């Protein structure tokens, strides 16, 4: 999603943008957004399984060669890495072709692909300040969020999801795949009855099983279960409170000014979701519930306490907006164009 936000800003500036990615959500989201998509066969590096790690390394080597062919065929002038494991082979291919390379990091730590590529990048755009990642090569911009985040129409969003036009609404989400513990706790806490309407974006993995359980409860009118929401700005606009994981989406919550109950994924690399959640909580924008402490009773208690205190919700909303960096995508696009495009010959001579 940050990459799509940057792509939209680049396209506004007359840049042609194409994507190279894997076979996860981007394979659907990128073409749906109107961009050409080139798939690479890659896999995450499983450090606990030597055989899988060797297979991932072999796929990465093959992917570098394919990425070079893609970059040549499309006539790329620059490459931007989004931080995922696909970015490693593409960034190395760009480096081998002497193309300007830029990086974006959406989390509160530098992932393995970005650590590998950082020495070769003209600029690395960071969502958070990172210790040891200072100087001209690094710039803290915040995480780019999709266009329209925080600006969607609340009434229209509620109508889209079949939610009542008035009264509080809880948004539950855990990413495109989903968050099992959060999905289970939310359905158990609010499926039969609840203090508010619920919009639950479960992710695709758990959607069918959750749907069956909801139907067994009589498909209650107050509970709306969907697998994925696009544009997600509508889901944020419809809600008064969110219960979510604490990945890069914390910047979308901030941009929308949406108070949140954050349940960091406990196995996230370098505990970055815990850091993200604490960043929100320290500013007064969120309440943090450790995954090990999450159950239906705890989730319901936290939700009721917040919904019963409108003044606190308003303070949390203001605090969230204070953390937002809504212009991140536009700033990154401007910097990429400035740094990737060489100046005219006359200016080059003067600079010499």
């Amino acid at each position: 999603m940050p990459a799509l936000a940057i792509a939209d800003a680049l396209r506004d500036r007359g840049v042609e943008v194409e994507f190279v990615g894997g076979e996860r959500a981007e394979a659907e989201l990128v073409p749906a957004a109107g961009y050409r998509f080139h798939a690479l066969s890659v896999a995450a590096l499983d450090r606990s399984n030597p055989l899988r790690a060797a297979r991932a390394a072999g796929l990465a080597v093959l992917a570098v060669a394919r990425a070079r062919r893609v970059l040549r065929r499309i006539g790329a002038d620059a490459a931007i890495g989004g931080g995922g494991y696909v970015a490693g082979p593409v960034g190395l291919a760009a480096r081998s072709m002497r193309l300007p390379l830029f990086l974006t990091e959406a989390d509160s730590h530098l992932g393995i692909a970005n650590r590998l590529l950082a020495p070769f990048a003209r600029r690395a755009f960071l969502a958070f300040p990172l210790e040891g990642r200072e100087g001209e090569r690094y710039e803290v911009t915040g995480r780019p969020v999709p266009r329209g985040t925080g600006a969607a129409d609340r009434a229209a969003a509620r109508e889209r999801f079949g939610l009542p036009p008035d009264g509080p609404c809880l948004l539950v989400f855990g990413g495109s795949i989903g968050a099992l513990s959060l999905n289970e706790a939310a359905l158990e806490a609010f499926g039969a009855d609840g203090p508010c309407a619920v919009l639950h974006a479960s992710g695709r993995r758990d959607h069918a099983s959750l749907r069956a359980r909801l139907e067994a409860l009589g498909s209650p009118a107050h509970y709306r279960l969907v697998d994925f929401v696009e544009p997600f700005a509508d889901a944020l606009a419809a809600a008064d409170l969110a219960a979510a994981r604490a990945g890069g989406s914390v910047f979308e919550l901030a941009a929308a000014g949406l108070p949140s109950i954050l349940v960091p994924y406990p196995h996230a690399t370098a505990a970055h979701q815990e850091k993200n959640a604490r960043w929100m909580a320290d500013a007064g924008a969120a309440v943090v519930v450790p995954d090990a402490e999450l159950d239906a009773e705890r989730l319901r208690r936290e939700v009721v306490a917040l919904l019963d205190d409108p003044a606190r919700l308003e303070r949390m909303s203001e605090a969230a907006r204070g953390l937002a960096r809504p212009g991140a995508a536009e700033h990154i696009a401007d910097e990429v164009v400035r740094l990737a495009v060489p100046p005219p010959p006359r200016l080059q001579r003067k600079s010499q």
Side-chain angles (χ1 to χ4, degrees):
M1 301 311 294
L4 283 171
I6 296 169
D8 288 345
L10 285 168
R11 188 160 56 181
D12 288 347
R13 288 152 177 78
V15 178
E16 295 182 23
V17 181
E18 299 191 19
F19 278 76
V20 184
E23 300 172 353
R24 299 177 67 179
E26 66 263 30
E28 297 180 19
L29 296 175
V30 169
Y35 295 98
R36 189 176 179 186
F37 182 77
H38 307 272
L40 290 183
S41 180
V42 290
L45 185 63
D46 187 344
R47 303 178 191 180
S48 64
N49 188 312
L51 290 178
R52 289 182 181 176
R55 177 179 178 272
L59 287 174
V61 171
L62 295 174
V64 172
R66 168 154 171 73
R68 283 175 57 90
R69 292 194 294 271
V70 170
L71 294 174
R72 283 201 192 96
R73 186 168 67 248
I74 68 177
D77 298 297
I80 305 176
Y85 47 83
V86 178
V90 179
L92 290 174
R95 166 66 176 174
S96 71
M97 298 170 64
R98 300 183 181 276
L99 296 179
L101 175 64
F102 302 89
L103 304 176
T104 62
E105 179 55 71
D107 292 316
S108 53
H109 82 110
L110 213 59
I112 186 170
N114 278 343
R115 291 199 303 272
L116 171 70
L117 297 173
F120 312 122
R122 291 199 177 179
R123 188 67 52 85
F125 301 103
L126 308 177
F128 300 91
L130 302 180
E131 186 177 354
R133 305 292 176 177
E134 299 92 8
E136 186 178 20
R137 190 187 304 274
Y138 300 95
E139 182 179 1
V140 179
T141 61
R143 178 187 190 262
V145 298
R147 186 167 295 168
T149 302
D153 182 82
R154 179 180 174 87
R158 291 239 175 163
E159 183 177 359
R160 171 187 172 182
F161 299 113
L163 296 166
D166 301 310
C169 175
L170 171 70
L171 169 64
V172 181
F173 68 96
S176 60
I177 297 176
L180 181 59
S181 60
L182 188 58
N183 284 341
E184 294 283 343
L187 188 61
E188 185 178 344
F190 307 113
D193 59 59
C196 61
V198 178
L199 174 59
H200 185 171
S202 65
R204 298 185 175 109
R205 180 192 57 202
D206 303 329
H207 182 257
S209 62
L210 294 171
R211 171 62 64 191
R213 290 168 57 186
L214 198 61
E215 290 174 354
L217 293 172
S219 299
H222 76 283
Y223 205 106
R224 295 287 182 265
L225 178 69
V226 296
D227 59 351
F228 191 76
V229 177
E230 178 58 32
F232 197 65
D234 287 349
L236 297 168
D240 301 278
L241 176 66
R245 287 298 197 201
S249 59
V250 296
F251 277 94
E252 292 178 59
L253 293 170
L258 189 60
S260 55
I261 299 165
L262 298 177
V263 185
Y265 177 55
H267 307 297
T269 305
H272 70 265
Q273 288 209 10
E274 175 72 21
K275 296 173 186 175
N276 294 354
R278 293 299 171 191
W279 177 71
M280 293 281 283
D282 289 347
V287 171
V288 180
V289 176
D291 189 83
E293 299 177 14
L294 179 71
D295 57 22
E297 181 181 354
R298 175 70 182 275
L299 181 60
R300 188 179 179 103
R301 186 168 69 247
E302 297 288 354
V303 168
V304 170
L306 289 172
L307 293 181
D308 284 349
D309 192 346
R312 184 183 179 191
L313 279 181
E314 181 58 32
R315 291 194 299 272
M316 292 174 71
S317 179
E318 292 177 4
R321 289 192 180 93
L323 295 173
R325 304 286 288 268
E330 285 71 23
H331 176 76
I332 292 171
D334 285 337
E335 287 296 281
V336 168
V337 170
R338 182 179 70 85
L339 295 171
V341 178
R346 181 179 301 173
L347 294 181
Q348 286 181 334
R349 286 196 297 272
K350 285 184 177 181
S351 66
Q352 293 170 359

PDB file of all heavy atoms in Angstrom, residues 52-75:
ATOM      1  N   ARG A  52      14.517 -24.715   3.572  1.00  0.00           N
ATOM      2  CA  ARG A  52      13.703 -23.636   3.014  1.00  0.00           C
ATOM      3  C   ARG A  52      14.546 -22.389   2.769  1.00  0.00           C
ATOM      4  O   ARG A  52      14.327 -21.673   1.790  1.00  0.00           O
ATOM      5  CB  ARG A  52      12.557 -23.305   3.967  1.00  0.00           C
ATOM      6  CG  ARG A  52      11.484 -24.391   4.030  1.00  0.00           C
ATOM      7  CD  ARG A  52      10.354 -23.975   4.952  1.00  0.00           C
ATOM      8  NE  ARG A  52       9.330 -24.996   5.042  1.00  0.00           N
ATOM      9  CZ  ARG A  52       8.270 -24.922   5.847  1.00  0.00           C
ATOM     10  NH1 ARG A  52       8.114 -23.857   6.628  1.00  0.00           N
ATOM     11  NH2 ARG A  52       7.389 -25.905   5.881  1.00  0.00           N
ATOM     12  N   ALA A  53      15.493 -22.132   3.656  1.00  0.00           N
ATOM     13  CA  ALA A  53      16.367 -20.980   3.466  1.00  0.00           C
ATOM     14  C   ALA A  53      17.208 -21.140   2.202  1.00  0.00           C
ATOM     15  O   ALA A  53      17.388 -20.178   1.435  1.00  0.00           O
ATOM     16  CB  ALA A  53      17.272 -20.808   4.685  1.00  0.00           C
ATOM     17  N   ALA A  54      17.714 -22.358   1.956  1.00  0.00           N
ATOM     18  CA  ALA A  54      18.502 -22.609   0.745  1.00  0.00           C
ATOM     19  C   ALA A  54      17.638 -22.437  -0.496  1.00  0.00           C
ATOM     20  O   ALA A  54      18.088 -21.884  -1.510  1.00  0.00           O
ATOM     21  CB  ALA A  54      19.098 -24.011   0.800  1.00  0.00           C
ATOM     22  N   ARG A  55      16.405 -22.927  -0.430  1.00  0.00           N
ATOM     23  CA  ARG A  55      15.495 -22.769  -1.578  1.00  0.00           C
ATOM     24  C   ARG A  55      15.223 -21.287  -1.837  1.00  0.00           C
ATOM     25  O   ARG A  55      15.241 -20.833  -2.990  1.00  0.00           O
ATOM     26  CB  ARG A  55      14.186 -23.489  -1.309  1.00  0.00           C
ATOM     27  CG  ARG A  55      13.145 -23.320  -2.422  1.00  0.00           C
ATOM     28  CD  ARG A  55      11.863 -24.075  -2.126  1.00  0.00           C
ATOM     29  NE  ARG A  55      10.881 -23.858  -3.172  1.00  0.00           N
ATOM     30  CZ  ARG A  55      10.018 -22.842  -3.181  1.00  0.00           C
ATOM     31  NH1 ARG A  55      10.040 -21.950  -2.188  1.00  0.00           N
ATOM     32  NH2 ARG A  55       9.140 -22.707  -4.178  1.00  0.00           N
ATOM     33  N   ALA A  56      14.988 -20.515  -0.764  1.00  0.00           N
ATOM     34  CA  ALA A  56      14.725 -19.085  -0.929  1.00  0.00           C
ATOM     35  C   ALA A  56      15.934 -18.385  -1.535  1.00  0.00           C
ATOM     36  O   ALA A  56      15.788 -17.502  -2.400  1.00  0.00           O
ATOM     37  CB  ALA A  56      14.368 -18.455   0.417  1.00  0.00           C
ATOM     38  N   ALA A  57      17.147 -18.767  -1.108  1.00  0.00           N
ATOM     39  CA  ALA A  57      18.357 -18.155  -1.659  1.00  0.00           C
ATOM     40  C   ALA A  57      18.493 -18.478  -3.144  1.00  0.00           C
ATOM     41  O   ALA A  57      18.870 -17.615  -3.954  1.00  0.00           O
ATOM     42  CB  ALA A  57      19.582 -18.644  -0.895  1.00  0.00           C
ATOM     43  N   GLY A  58      18.197 -19.733  -3.514  1.00  0.00           N
ATOM     44  CA  GLY A  58      18.266 -20.106  -4.923  1.00  0.00           C
ATOM     45  C   GLY A  58      17.266 -19.345  -5.770  1.00  0.00           C
ATOM     46  O   GLY A  58      17.592 -18.884  -6.879  1.00  0.00           O
ATOM     47  N   LEU A  59      16.047 -19.192  -5.257  1.00  0.00           N
ATOM     48  CA  LEU A  59      15.042 -18.415  -5.988  1.00  0.00           C
ATOM     49  C   LEU A  59      15.469 -16.956  -6.131  1.00  0.00           C
ATOM     50  O   LEU A  59      15.226 -16.324  -7.165  1.00  0.00           O
ATOM     51  CB  LEU A  59      13.698 -18.490  -5.259  1.00  0.00           C
ATOM     52  CG  LEU A  59      12.943 -19.817  -5.335  1.00  0.00           C
ATOM     53  CD1 LEU A  59      11.708 -19.775  -4.437  1.00  0.00           C
ATOM     54  CD2 LEU A  59      12.524 -20.125  -6.778  1.00  0.00           C
ATOM     55  N   ALA A  60      16.120 -16.426  -5.100  1.00  0.00           N
ATOM     56  CA  ALA A  60      16.562 -15.036  -5.155  1.00  0.00           C
ATOM     57  C   ALA A  60      17.613 -14.828  -6.235  1.00  0.00           C
ATOM     58  O   ALA A  60      17.601 -13.823  -6.960  1.00  0.00           O
ATOM     59  CB  ALA A  60      17.103 -14.604  -3.789  1.00  0.00           C
ATOM     60  N   VAL A  61      18.532 -15.775  -6.375  1.00  0.00           N
ATOM     61  CA  VAL A  61      19.565 -15.669  -7.414  1.00  0.00           C
ATOM     62  C   VAL A  61      18.912 -15.665  -8.796  1.00  0.00           C
ATOM     63  O   VAL A  61      19.243 -14.837  -9.665  1.00  0.00           O
ATOM     64  CB  VAL A  61      20.569 -16.829  -7.289  1.00  0.00           C
ATOM     65  CG1 VAL A  61      21.507 -16.845  -8.496  1.00  0.00           C
ATOM     66  CG2 VAL A  61      21.374 -16.690  -6.004  1.00  0.00           C
ATOM     67  N   LEU A  62      17.965 -16.568  -9.013  1.00  0.00           N
ATOM     68  CA  LEU A  62      17.262 -16.614 -10.296  1.00  0.00           C
ATOM     69  C   LEU A  62      16.451 -15.336 -10.516  1.00  0.00           C
ATOM     70  O   LEU A  62      16.346 -14.839 -11.640  1.00  0.00           O
ATOM     71  CB  LEU A  62      16.351 -17.833 -10.355  1.00  0.00           C
ATOM     72  CG  LEU A  62      17.042 -19.200 -10.327  1.00  0.00           C
ATOM     73  CD1 LEU A  62      16.003 -20.310 -10.253  1.00  0.00           C
ATOM     74  CD2 LEU A  62      17.930 -19.385 -11.553  1.00  0.00           C
ATOM     75  N   ALA A  63      15.888 -14.810  -9.428  1.00  0.00           N
ATOM     76  CA  ALA A  63      15.060 -13.613  -9.539  1.00  0.00           C
ATOM     77  C   ALA A  63      15.872 -12.395  -9.936  1.00  0.00           C
ATOM     78  O   ALA A  63      15.364 -11.500 -10.619  1.00  0.00           O
ATOM     79  CB  ALA A  63      14.338 -13.355  -8.221  1.00  0.00           C
ATOM     80  N   VAL A  64      17.133 -12.316  -9.527  1.00  0.00           N
ATOM     81  CA  VAL A  64      17.982 -11.191  -9.936  1.00  0.00           C
ATOM     82  C   VAL A  64      18.118 -11.166 -11.449  1.00  0.00           C
ATOM     83  O   VAL A  64      17.986 -10.104 -12.085  1.00  0.00           O
ATOM     84  CB  VAL A  64      19.367 -11.274  -9.267  1.00  0.00           C
ATOM     85  CG1 VAL A  64      20.301 -10.205  -9.848  1.00  0.00           C
ATOM     86  CG2 VAL A  64      19.260 -11.090  -7.764  1.00  0.00           C
ATOM     87  N   ALA A  65      18.368 -12.319 -12.052  1.00  0.00           N
ATOM     88  CA  ALA A  65      18.507 -12.381 -13.510  1.00  0.00           C
ATOM     89  C   ALA A  65      17.210 -11.987 -14.199  1.00  0.00           C
ATOM     90  O   ALA A  65      17.216 -11.237 -15.184  1.00  0.00           O
ATOM     91  CB  ALA A  65      18.937 -13.786 -13.921  1.00  0.00           C
ATOM     92  N   ARG A  66      16.090 -12.491 -13.695  1.00  0.00           N
ATOM     93  CA  ARG A  66      14.803 -12.124 -14.302  1.00  0.00           C
ATOM     94  C   ARG A  66      14.520 -10.639 -14.101  1.00  0.00           C
ATOM     95  O   ARG A  66      14.017  -9.969 -15.008  1.00  0.00           O
ATOM     96  CB  ARG A  66      13.678 -12.964 -13.711  1.00  0.00           C
ATOM     97  CG  ARG A  66      12.297 -12.443 -14.090  1.00  0.00           C
ATOM     98  CD  ARG A  66      11.203 -13.474 -14.092  1.00  0.00           C
ATOM     99  NE  ARG A  66       9.897 -12.872 -14.253  1.00  0.00           N
ATOM    100  CZ  ARG A  66       9.422 -12.358 -15.372  1.00  0.00           C
ATOM    101  NH1 ARG A  66      10.168 -12.362 -16.476  1.00  0.00           N
ATOM    102  NH2 ARG A  66       8.213 -11.847 -15.439  1.00  0.00           N
ATOM    103  N   ALA A  67      14.833 -10.100 -12.930  1.00  0.00           N
ATOM    104  CA  ALA A  67      14.598  -8.673 -12.680  1.00  0.00           C
ATOM    105  C   ALA A  67      15.411  -7.810 -13.638  1.00  0.00           C
ATOM    106  O   ALA A  67      14.929  -6.781 -14.124  1.00  0.00           O
ATOM    107  CB  ALA A  67      14.944  -8.332 -11.228  1.00  0.00           C
ATOM    108  N   ARG A  68      16.643  -8.214 -13.933  1.00  0.00           N
ATOM    109  CA  ARG A  68      17.451  -7.471 -14.908  1.00  0.00           C
ATOM    110  C   ARG A  68      16.757  -7.448 -16.262  1.00  0.00           C
ATOM    111  O   ARG A  68      16.721  -6.413 -16.943  1.00  0.00           O
ATOM    112  CB  ARG A  68      18.837  -8.099 -15.044  1.00  0.00           C
ATOM    113  CG  ARG A  68      19.797  -7.768 -13.903  1.00  0.00           C
ATOM    114  CD  ARG A  68      21.113  -8.526 -14.054  1.00  0.00           C
ATOM    115  NE  ARG A  68      21.758  -8.243 -15.336  1.00  0.00           N
ATOM    116  CZ  ARG A  68      22.626  -7.259 -15.523  1.00  0.00           C
ATOM    117  NH1 ARG A  68      22.945  -6.452 -14.530  1.00  0.00           N
ATOM    118  NH2 ARG A  68      23.184  -7.075 -16.705  1.00  0.00           N
ATOM    119  N   ARG A  69      16.211  -8.591 -16.671  1.00  0.00           N
ATOM    120  CA  ARG A  69      15.522  -8.632 -17.964  1.00  0.00           C
ATOM    121  C   ARG A  69      14.298  -7.729 -17.966  1.00  0.00           C
ATOM    122  O   ARG A  69      14.026  -7.031 -18.960  1.00  0.00           O
ATOM    123  CB  ARG A  69      15.124 -10.076 -18.291  1.00  0.00           C
ATOM    124  CG  ARG A  69      16.316 -10.993 -18.580  1.00  0.00           C
ATOM    125  CD  ARG A  69      15.871 -12.289 -19.232  1.00  0.00           C
ATOM    126  NE  ARG A  69      15.059 -13.113 -18.334  1.00  0.00           N
ATOM    127  CZ  ARG A  69      15.548 -14.015 -17.501  1.00  0.00           C
ATOM    128  NH1 ARG A  69      16.866 -14.199 -17.421  1.00  0.00           N
ATOM    129  NH2 ARG A  69      14.750 -14.743 -16.742  1.00  0.00           N
ATOM    130  N   VAL A  70      13.562  -7.727 -16.859  1.00  0.00           N
ATOM    131  CA  VAL A  70      12.376  -6.870 -16.772  1.00  0.00           C
ATOM    132  C   VAL A  70      12.775  -5.400 -16.834  1.00  0.00           C
ATOM    133  O   VAL A  70      12.181  -4.601 -17.579  1.00  0.00           O
ATOM    134  CB  VAL A  70      11.592  -7.160 -15.479  1.00  0.00           C
ATOM    135  CG1 VAL A  70      10.498  -6.114 -15.264  1.00  0.00           C
ATOM    136  CG2 VAL A  70      10.974  -8.554 -15.526  1.00  0.00           C
ATOM    137  N   LEU A  71      13.794  -5.023 -16.068  1.00  0.00           N
ATOM    138  CA  LEU A  71      14.215  -3.623 -16.042  1.00  0.00           C
ATOM    139  C   LEU A  71      14.711  -3.158 -17.401  1.00  0.00           C
ATOM    140  O   LEU A  71      14.456  -2.016 -17.814  1.00  0.00           O
ATOM    141  CB  LEU A  71      15.301  -3.425 -14.981  1.00  0.00           C
ATOM    142  CG  LEU A  71      14.865  -3.634 -13.529  1.00  0.00           C
ATOM    143  CD1 LEU A  71      16.065  -3.557 -12.595  1.00  0.00           C
ATOM    144  CD2 LEU A  71      13.810  -2.619 -13.115  1.00  0.00           C
ATOM    145  N   ARG A  72      15.423  -4.036 -18.110  1.00  0.00           N
ATOM    146  CA  ARG A  72      15.874  -3.677 -19.465  1.00  0.00           C
ATOM    147  C   ARG A  72      14.680  -3.521 -20.409  1.00  0.00           C
ATOM    148  O   ARG A  72      14.622  -2.591 -21.222  1.00  0.00           O
ATOM    149  CB  ARG A  72      16.819  -4.760 -20.001  1.00  0.00           C
ATOM    150  CG  ARG A  72      18.225  -4.708 -19.447  1.00  0.00           C
ATOM    151  CD  ARG A  72      19.178  -5.447 -20.371  1.00  0.00           C
ATOM    152  NE  ARG A  72      20.477  -5.654 -19.745  1.00  0.00           N
ATOM    153  CZ  ARG A  72      20.838  -6.762 -19.117  1.00  0.00           C
ATOM    154  NH1 ARG A  72      19.992  -7.773 -19.031  1.00  0.00           N
ATOM    155  NH2 ARG A  72      22.034  -6.874 -18.570  1.00  0.00           N
ATOM    156  N   ARG A  73      13.758  -4.471 -20.332  1.00  0.00           N
ATOM    157  CA  ARG A  73      12.635  -4.474 -21.277  1.00  0.00           C
ATOM    158  C   ARG A  73      11.764  -3.232 -21.126  1.00  0.00           C
ATOM    159  O   ARG A  73      11.285  -2.669 -22.121  1.00  0.00           O
ATOM    160  CB  ARG A  73      11.800  -5.735 -21.089  1.00  0.00           C
ATOM    161  CG  ARG A  73      10.695  -5.885 -22.130  1.00  0.00           C
ATOM    162  CD  ARG A  73      10.082  -7.267 -22.111  1.00  0.00           C
ATOM    163  NE  ARG A  73       9.336  -7.527 -20.875  1.00  0.00           N
ATOM    164  CZ  ARG A  73       9.700  -8.387 -19.954  1.00  0.00           C
ATOM    165  NH1 ARG A  73      10.831  -9.084 -20.078  1.00  0.00           N
ATOM    166  NH2 ARG A  73       8.970  -8.571 -18.869  1.00  0.00           N
ATOM    167  N   ILE A  74      11.536  -2.797 -19.894  1.00  0.00           N
ATOM    168  CA  ILE A  74      10.668  -1.644 -19.694  1.00  0.00           C
ATOM    169  C   ILE A  74      11.430  -0.325 -19.775  1.00  0.00           C
ATOM    170  O   ILE A  74      10.823   0.747 -19.733  1.00  0.00           O
ATOM    171  CB  ILE A  74       9.920  -1.731 -18.347  1.00  0.00           C
ATOM    172  CG1 ILE A  74      10.871  -1.585 -17.167  1.00  0.00           C
ATOM    173  CG2 ILE A  74       9.140  -3.033 -18.246  1.00  0.00           C
ATOM    174  CD1 ILE A  74      10.165  -1.593 -15.809  1.00  0.00           C
ATOM    175  N   GLY A  75      12.763  -0.402 -19.886  1.00  0.00           N
ATOM    176  CA  GLY A  75      13.561   0.814 -19.986  1.00  0.00           C
ATOM    177  C   GLY A  75      13.561   1.619 -18.702  1.00  0.00           C
ATOM    178  O   GLY A  75      13.443   2.857 -18.729  1.00  0.00           O
TER     179      GLY A  75
END
